[in-house]
Amino acid sequence: MANRRFVPVDRGSPHVEDIIGYSVEDVRNDAHIWIKAIHPDDLIQMRDTTREMFRSKIPGKRVYRFKHKHRDEYVWLEDYLVPIMDDTGWIKEFYASAHIRAKDCRA
C-alpha cells in the first residue's frame, strides 16, 4: 500500500538548490527533509495550513522559514500549492511554486 502521508516529489527546478541548498534529488530521496528544515516556530502553522489544503483540496499559500542546508541561517519562503487529484478524488500530486521572501510578510 502506498504511503499516503507524503506526496512524492516528481519534478523540480534545479534552482531550488541555489535557494535552500538541497537539490531536487535530496528532496526526492527524503520526504522528511522539508519538515525537518522548517523553523520550529513555523511548524504548527505549516501543519495546519497543509492539513487544510489536503482536507479542502483547494490551492493554498504558505509562508515560512526554511533552514539552508549549508549555511547557518533560515530563508523566508512563500510557496503556492495546487492539488492534482486522481480519478478517485485522492491528491496524487501537487503543482507547487516557491520563491524567497525578503522578510516575514505574513498577513
Side-chain angles (χ1 to χ4, degrees):
M1 180 178 213
N3 182 350
R4 294 195 173 231
R5 293 192 107 186
F6 295 103
V7 176
V9 174
D10 184 34
R11 296 174 293 277
S13 169
H15 299 293
V16 70
E17 193 165 1
D18 297 333
I19 297 169
I20 61 172
Y22 291 95
S23 69
V24 173
E25 274 306 306
D26 291 336
V27 176
R28 184 178 292 131
N29 292 332
D30 182 357
H32 294 97
I33 280 176
W34 216 263
I35 294 167
K36 291 186 282 189
I38 294 171
H39 191 284
D41 292 344
D42 298 334
L43 278 171
I44 292 173
Q45 172 258 330
M46 283 290 292
R47 180 200 64 203
D48 293 348
T49 303
T50 303
R51 282 183 178 168
E52 179 58 21
M53 280 190 281
F54 270 93
R55 188 197 64 72
S56 69
K57 300 177 183 170
I58 295 173
K61 176 179 81 168
R62 305 179 302 180
V63 178
Y64 54 96
R65 290 164 285 185
F66 190 92
K67 178 110 168 82
H68 194 280
K69 181 179 181 181
H70 304 294
R71 299 190 306 260
D72 189 28
E73 66 183 23
Y74 283 89
V75 177
W76 276 103
L77 295 178
E78 176 180 319
D79 64 21
Y80 185 73
L81 292 103
V82 178
I84 314 279
M85 269 65 80
D86 64 15
D87 292 340
T88 68
W90 184 258
I91 298 173
K92 65 177 182 175
E93 64 183 301
F94 280 98
Y95 168 79
S97 64
H99 68 272
I100 297 175
R101 298 287 296 252
K103 58 182 179 171
D104 178 6
C105 298
R106 291 178 284 190

